[in-house]
């Protein structure tokens, strides 16, 4: 065993290093370094040309000083000079310096490139190796330009030494990464694939790394590598421990190479050729079997290496997602690891299981481990392991265990690390919405969420809960009651005040009957929080107050007093002041009818993708979450898409004129028995069902249109986001004809669209002809011909 | 790919650093300080993989020395964990007692590391093959 060779060993350097180590303080160290730097500087500038040994020594010292953290701004020239020396040691120090202290001085780059070119052409494997190492570690664009053509040739030439091949492969990889345009695909690609069959496993390792990256951009070129990789892998895995000699690490044959080959296979889909596929399956089964066998060595290194290969194999199985029994075996193996003594294994098992949960074959198997995962969540001491457990719970959630998982996540949230709270909040919100069978549970969950982690509840979450409460009638009363009770807590979060304010403003009337939640009590409750809130919340509360004026006329004067107070009317914030002034005025001058119309209950929100999901995707970045979500959507397409078709009945308009009668009827009846087909699996499907909540005979907003037709024959009668109803009428003497146009404003087709004409008996007799509506995608029109007999 | 390979002692002084993608000098010191802070605050029951910014750190402690490797998501964590150990075993074989002599023979340690990891990829793990060029070098020096 060679001792530390001092023969070539630069005595001065050793002395220098001992000096530094002996320095007692930072200042002493800096002083010593500066002294040395001055010395070196003078030596470099000196007239006498330095001999190779001295140059090497000084450059080495500079390198060491750099390592200590001081910037070096000279010495590069000398290092470049060392490159052209013929002695290996000097050359090596020169290259080391260059590759560690990269600098973009153009003069030097040219010289460096020249030196490298000479070395590459020298055919001396050691020199070539050094040069290639340098290119691989520096890999600047100029180098790429200069050498990208040559390297592939060196790589596939028959007479290159193995070690040079290794370096060349990785050199090419580096150049490809930095400047892919300089490395075109050529006929060398097929030869590179053949390197996988090489005797020397080091070459195979390097080639695999290269092919893995290249295959990601040019999969077609490297398709043939799949079968070679599989055969290589099976040879390694089935080899006895004596075969591979030095490449066996603690009784595990070539673990790093196996891992790399498995990674390469993950770039491609499962092989089509049955023989290759069979071999691969066999190979994977062998790896899984080995994991079950008793270990050949007690050392932790043996099990670590074995498990490294195992985890990579499991990744491959998950990636292929085609063999159910392999997936189930993998899942069981991971399940065993979940309770292993070693934290590392538990961490990796949780991570792998997360990806496993999204595969349809193994989803059920993953769910069986839910108790273990929940336990891990509660008892793990390492926060990153707990985080993985949360991710896994999110991935394995489905209808059957949603309530349990959401409850556990809420529990965890109370003690979670601050940096991850927002993510957990978003996840809980998404899960609660997706799997809510009973929306009262959903409302409870969100309110709990606000209570526990109010600061981290972003806007999207509470917007969503409001949207859902407004769109669903059945939960409105419950929401109002729960919010009211929650607000009574002495310290409640501002987000809760926002949600509470909004909901009570809309649906406070539903609980006003109960003496404990009478209008005045509701108002006082909200107002007690008023001064503790920020400006946007106060603005929202002011809107709520005016809604109260409409809902509960008995407390109008109280509210008006509040609005009239100086702190509102002369408020520093413009928005609040404006609202206070306008609402006050509105409440004083508007009649009850107008007030009722203006402050009418919110119409149901239209369908759109959950913004919470979008926010989570943005947070996590592309990849895991989006895939899981898409897969979940496809699998559970009719999750909450309860197709509710509520036939809507319009009541007859009570206005006198006959033509107005007919007009009033055209507006309301719209039935659709299926939701627009594009939104498979979207979270809220009920678009039409809630038009029943439109109580007024005429849809709001169409009153003006309606009145217009007293003196006009043509025009738009009614319009909303989905439908536009236009009218065109002609009258001649005693005959009248009306065309009613129903325009479809969405991009999807209405199915079973049936307009119903309802009119009083008296008029019915006067209808001569009612054409059946035609089915068209864009517009449907009905033609009514009326004959008015003078009576 | 492997982003960097560091050997840091418990006082936070870097003994060896190798970066496989370009990082500015001031950023390096900051990175090293933060990384060592993260590693020092871990206890024995915690796992050896830390999520740091947008990549992972794999670390292993040998007495007063920490070896920390930064990897991105394309690397297998367990394999890198064992790579660290392999590296230490190679050093052990070459120098009789590792710790004192690393600083005095930084260039040799760099050579060994370069033989094992090139451009962020593991290239050679066979101890004999790694040490072969060094042994040749030593023989040349003696003669």
């Amino acid at each position: 065993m060679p001792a530390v060779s001092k023969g070539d060993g630069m005595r001065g350097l050793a002395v220098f290093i001992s000096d530094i180590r002996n320095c007692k303080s930072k200042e002493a160290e800096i002083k010593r370094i500066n002294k040395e730097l001055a010395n070196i500087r003078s030596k470099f500038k000196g007239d006498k040309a330095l001999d190779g040994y001295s140059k090497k020594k000084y450059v080495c010292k500079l390198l060491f000083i750099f390592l200590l953290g001081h910037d070096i701004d000279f010495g590069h020239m000398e290092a470049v000079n060392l490159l052209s020396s013929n002695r290996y040691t000097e050359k090596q120090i020169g290259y080391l310096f260059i590759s560690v202290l990269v600098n973009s001085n153009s003069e030097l780059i040219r010289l460096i490139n020249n030196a490298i070119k000479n070395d590459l052409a020298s055919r001396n494997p050691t020199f070539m190796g050094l040069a290639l190492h340098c290119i691989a570690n520096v890999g600047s664009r100029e180098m790429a330009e200069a050498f990208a053509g040559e390297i592939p040739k060196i790589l596939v030439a028959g007479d290159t030494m193995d070690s040079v091949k290794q370096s060349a492969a990785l050199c090419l990889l580096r150049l490809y990464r930095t400047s892919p345009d300089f490395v075109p695909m050529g006929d060398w690609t097929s030869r590179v694939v053949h390197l996988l069959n090489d005797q020397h496993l080091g070459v195979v390792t390097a080639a695999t790394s290269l092919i893995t990256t290249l295959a990601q951009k040019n999969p077609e070129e490297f398709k043939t590598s799949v079968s070679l990789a599989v055969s290589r892998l099976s040879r390694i895995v089935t080899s006895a421990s004596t075969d591979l000699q030095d490449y066996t690490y603690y009784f595990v044959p070539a673990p790093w190479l196996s891992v790399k080959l498995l990674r390469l296979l993950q770039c491609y889909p499962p092989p089509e050729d049955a023989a290759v596929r069979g071999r691969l399956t066999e190979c994977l089964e062998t790896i899984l079997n080995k994991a079950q066998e008793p270990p050949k060595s007690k050392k932790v290194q043996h099990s670590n290496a074995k498990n490294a290969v195992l985890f990579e194999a499991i990744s491959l199985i998950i990636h292929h997602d085609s063999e159910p029994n392999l997936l189930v075996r993998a899942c069981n193996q991971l399940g065993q690891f979940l309770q292993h003594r070693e934290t590392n294994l538990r961490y990796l098992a949780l991570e792998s299981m997360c990806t496993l949960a999204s595969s349809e074959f193994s989803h059920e198997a993953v769910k069986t481990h839910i108790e273990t995962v929940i336990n891990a969540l509660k008892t793990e001491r390492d926060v990153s392991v707990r985080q993985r457990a949360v991710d896994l719970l999110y991935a394995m959630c489905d209808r059957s265990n949603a309530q349990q998982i959401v409850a556990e996540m809420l529990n965890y949230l109370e003690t979670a690390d601050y940096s991850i709270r927002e993510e957990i909040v978003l996840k809980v919100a998404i899960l609660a919405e997706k799997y809510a069978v009973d929306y009262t549970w959903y409302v409870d969950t969100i309110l709990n969420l606000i209570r526990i982690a109010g600061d981290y509840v972003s806007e999207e979450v509470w917007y969503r809960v409001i949207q859902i409460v407004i769109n669903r009638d059945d939960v409105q009363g419950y929401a109002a009651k729960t919010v009211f009770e929650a607000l009574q807590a002495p310290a409640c979060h501002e987000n809760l005040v926002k949600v509470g304010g909004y909901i009570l403003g809309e649906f406070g009337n539903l609980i006003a009957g109960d003496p404990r939640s009478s209008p005045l009590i509701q108002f006082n409750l909200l107002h007690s929080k008023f001064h503790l809130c920020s400006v946007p919340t106060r603005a929202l509360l002011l809107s709520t107050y005016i809604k109260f004026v409409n809902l509960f006329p008995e407390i109008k004067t109280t509210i008006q007093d509040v609005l009239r107070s100086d702190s509102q009317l002369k408020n520093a914030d413009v928005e609040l002041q404006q609202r206070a002034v306008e609402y006050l005025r509105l409440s004083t001058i508007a009649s009850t009818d107008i007030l009722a119309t203006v402050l009418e209950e919110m119409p149901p929100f239209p369908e759109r993708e959950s913004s919470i999901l979008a926010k989570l995707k943005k947070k996590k970045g592309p990849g895991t979450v989006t895939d899981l979500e898409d897969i979940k959507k496809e699998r559970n397409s009719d999750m909450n898409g309860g197709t509710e078709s509520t036939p809507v009945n319009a009541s007859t308009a009570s206005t006198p004129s006959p033509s107005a009668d007919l007009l009033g009827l055209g507006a309301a009846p719209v039935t659709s028995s299926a939701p627009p087909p594009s939104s498979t699996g979207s979270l809220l499907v009920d678009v039409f069902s809630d038009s029943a909540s439109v109580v007024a005979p005429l849809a709001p907003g169409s009153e003006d249109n309606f009145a217009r037709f007293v003196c006009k024959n043509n025009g738009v009668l009614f319009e909303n986001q989905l439908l536009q109803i236009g009218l065109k009428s002609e009258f001649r003497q005693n005959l009248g004809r009306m065309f009613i146009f129903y325009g479809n404003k969405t991009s999807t087709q209405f199915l079973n669209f049936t307009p119903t004409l309802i009119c009083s008996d008296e008029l019915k007799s006067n209808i001569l002809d009612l054409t059946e509506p035609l089915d068209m995608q864009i517009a449907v029109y009905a033609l009514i011909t009326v004959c008015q007999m003078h009576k | 790919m492997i982003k960097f390979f560091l050997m840091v002692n418990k006082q936070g002084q870097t003994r060896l650093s190798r970066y496989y993608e370009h990082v500015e000098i001031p950023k390096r010191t900051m990175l090293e300080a933060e990384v060592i802070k993260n590693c020092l605050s871990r206890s024995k029951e915690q796992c050896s993989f830390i999520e740091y910014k947008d990549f992972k750190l794999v670390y292993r402690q040998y007495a007063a020395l920490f070896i920390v490797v930064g990897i991105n998501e394309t690397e297998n964590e367990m394999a890198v964990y064992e790579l660290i150990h392999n590296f230490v075993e190679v050093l052990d074989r070459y120098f009789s007692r590792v710790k004192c002599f690393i600083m005095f023979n930084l260039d040799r340690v760099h050579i060994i590391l370069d033989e094992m990891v090139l451009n962020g990829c593991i290239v050679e793990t066979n101890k004999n093959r790694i040490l072969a060029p060094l042994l040749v070098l030593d023989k040349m020096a003696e003669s």
Side-chain angles (χ1 to χ4, degrees), chain A residues 1-5 8 10 13-14 17-18 21 29 60 64 66-69 71 88-89 92-93 96 99-100 102 133 136-137 166-167 170-171 173-174 177 200-203 205-206 209 246-247 249-250 256 259-260 263 300-302 304-305 307-309 311-312 342-348 351 381-385 388, chain B residues 1 13-22 25 28-29 42 44-51 56 60 73-83 85-86 89 92-96 99-101 103-108 110-111 114-115 117-129 133 135 137-138 140-142:
Chain A
M1 204 166 302
V4 176
S5 42
D8 204 16
M10 298 175 281
L13 179 61
I17 296 177
S18 329
R21 284 187 85 182
E29 193 180 301
C60 218
F64 183 75
F66 174 72
L67 183 58
L68 288 176
D71 207 358
Y88 176 77
T89 47
Q92 193 252 331
I93 296 287
L96 188 57
S99 48
V100 172
V102 173
H133 270 247
N137 284 331
Q166 269 177 281
S167 315
L170 289 167
C171 194
L173 178 57
R174 172 58 179 244
R177 276 203 192 125
H200 187 288
L201 288 184
V203 174
T205 316
S209 303
D246 292 325
Y247 279 96
Y249 177 78
Y250 287 96
W256 289 280
V259 165
K260 280 220 183 312
R263 268 264 154 181
V300 67
Q301 282 79 7
H302 167 75
N304 279 347
N307 289 330
V309 181
F311 275 111
E312 201 63 42
E342 261 199 58
T343 321
N344 286 345
L345 291 178
R346 294 202 296 269
Y347 175 87
L348 291 172
E351 206 175 15
R381 309 200 23 204
D382 187 343
V383 65
S384 32
V385 181
R388 291 281 146 266
Chain B
M1 72 171 266
Q13 294 170 314
T14 315
R15 291 284 166 242
L16 172 81
S17 79
R18 193 74 159 121
Y19 286 83
Y20 295 102
E21 43 172 35
H22 187 63
I25 312 280
R28 286 187 195 191
T29 30
R42 309 277 285 182
K44 231 188 249 151
E45 296 105 30
Q46 293 177 307
C47 70
S48 318
F49 315 120
I50 308 176
E51 273 163 62
K56 281 206 181 130
R60 210 158 171 166
E73 68 274 352
T74 54
E75 288 289 334
N76 182 321
E77 296 95 342
M78 222 28 158
V80 173
Y81 189 69
E82 280 308 305
L83 178 76
H85 190 74
N86 201 16
E89 283 189 348
D92 206 25
R93 218 211 264 195
Y94 184 67
F95 307 105
S96 34
K99 289 98 197 178
C100 319
F101 291 142
M103 276 183 71
F104 287 119
N105 291 282
L106 209 51
D107 51 332
R108 305 263 149 130
H110 266 278
I111 295 177
D114 280 343
E115 288 289 323
V117 181
L118 187 57
N119 186 22
C121 303
I122 304 174
V123 62
E124 184 63 73
T125 53
N126 180 332
K127 293 195 188 68
N128 290 331
R129 289 219 171 109
L135 297 175
L137 197 61
D138 290 337
M140 267 172 45
E142 278 163 31

Side-chain angles (χ1 to χ4, degrees), chain A residues 695-714:
Chain A
V695 174
L698 291 174
S702 70
E703 285 177 335
D704 290 348
N705 293 342
F706 176 64
R708 227 187 286 146
F709 283 96
V710 170
C711 40
K712 230 178 31 154
N713 283 344
N714 307 330

